[in-house]
Amino acid sequence: MSDTVRIINELLVELFNDILTIEATSLKNTGLKDLSVTEMHVIEAIGLSPRTMTDVASQLGITVGTLTISINRLVKKEYVTRSRSEEDRRFVNIELTRKGKIAYRTHQSFHDGMVRYMIEELSDEDNEVLVASLKRLNDFLKERYHLSKKQ
């Protein structure tokens, strides 16, 4: 059992580091050279529908003030627009521009390719075990570190 723990730990650490490196390289190779990985994750959190700053900050587990810094950069780079809610002026809505939606779809394509490759040769039973294992790890991390669940 201890060998299993060591191997899984090594794989998780290596995967985490590799994915961050690959994401950064992928952004540069797909014409999104002006985006950082952090900015891309903000774009990903906004998604294809308008959201409030509060909702996105909560999803990312950061303060609205921290999100504001990224949004300011993304507005300047023309990936995001920002506007006050007409119903309640205290809320700020953010939305991807056409350029932001292209970046979002490009990043989603990267993730889709990675996941499809991982599962394409697994049996249905193995896929179920993989999904259950990843859900269990995700639940543990959310509970242990008091992270909010993604919306």
Side-chain angles (χ1 to χ4, degrees), residues 41-57:
H41 289 160
V42 170
I43 287 172
E44 184 178 35
I46 296 169
L48 298 176
S49 301
R51 309 258 326 264
T52 66
M53 292 279 288
T54 304
D55 288 343
V56 173

Side-chain angles (χ1 to χ4, degrees), residues 6-140:
R6 181 186 55 76
I7 291 168
I8 290 173
N9 181 65
E10 288 173 3
L11 284 170
L12 287 173
V13 169
E14 187 175 345
L15 282 168
F16 176 78
N17 291 329
D18 287 351
I19 288 171
L20 287 178
T21 300
I22 291 165
E23 280 186 321
T25 303
S26 177
L27 287 173
K28 289 181 182 13
N29 293 339
T30 57
L32 302 171
K33 294 175 177 40
D34 63 336
L35 287 176
S36 69
V37 172
T38 300
E39 290 168 337
M40 189 65 243
H41 289 160
V42 170
I43 287 172
E44 184 178 35
I46 296 169
L48 298 176
S49 301
R51 309 258 326 264
T52 66
M53 292 279 288
T54 304
D55 288 343
V56 173
S58 175
Q59 179 180 333
L60 292 171
I62 60 176
T63 67
V64 173
T66 299
L67 178 61
T68 298
I69 294 166
S70 289
I71 293 300
N72 287 344
R73 281 191 231 123
L74 289 168
V75 166
K76 192 174 192 175
K77 294 177 184 182
E78 300 180 343
Y79 286 96
V80 173
T81 59
R82 169 179 37 212
S83 61
R84 291 255 174 223
S85 168
E86 291 299 321
E87 296 82 39
D88 188 337
R89 304 286 295 161
R90 294 173 295 175
F91 290 100
V92 177
N93 295 316
I94 49 180
E95 185 173 5
L96 298 181
T97 62
R98 183 175 182 282
K99 184 177 174 182
K101 289 176 182 175
I102 290 169
Y104 175 87
R105 288 187 180 105
T106 300
H107 191 66
Q108 283 306 112
S109 178
F110 163 77
H111 281 272
D112 288 348
M114 179 176 56
V115 171
R116 287 181 193 283
Y117 178 81
M118 186 171 75
I119 66 172
E120 70 186 1
E121 294 184 15
L122 296 179
S123 67
D124 289 344
E125 190 175 302
D126 287 343
N127 276 321
E128 288 175 21
V129 170
L130 176 62
V131 168
S133 297
L134 291 172
K135 277 185 181 177
R136 185 168 163 78
L137 174 61
N138 192 41
D139 290 345
F140 167 78

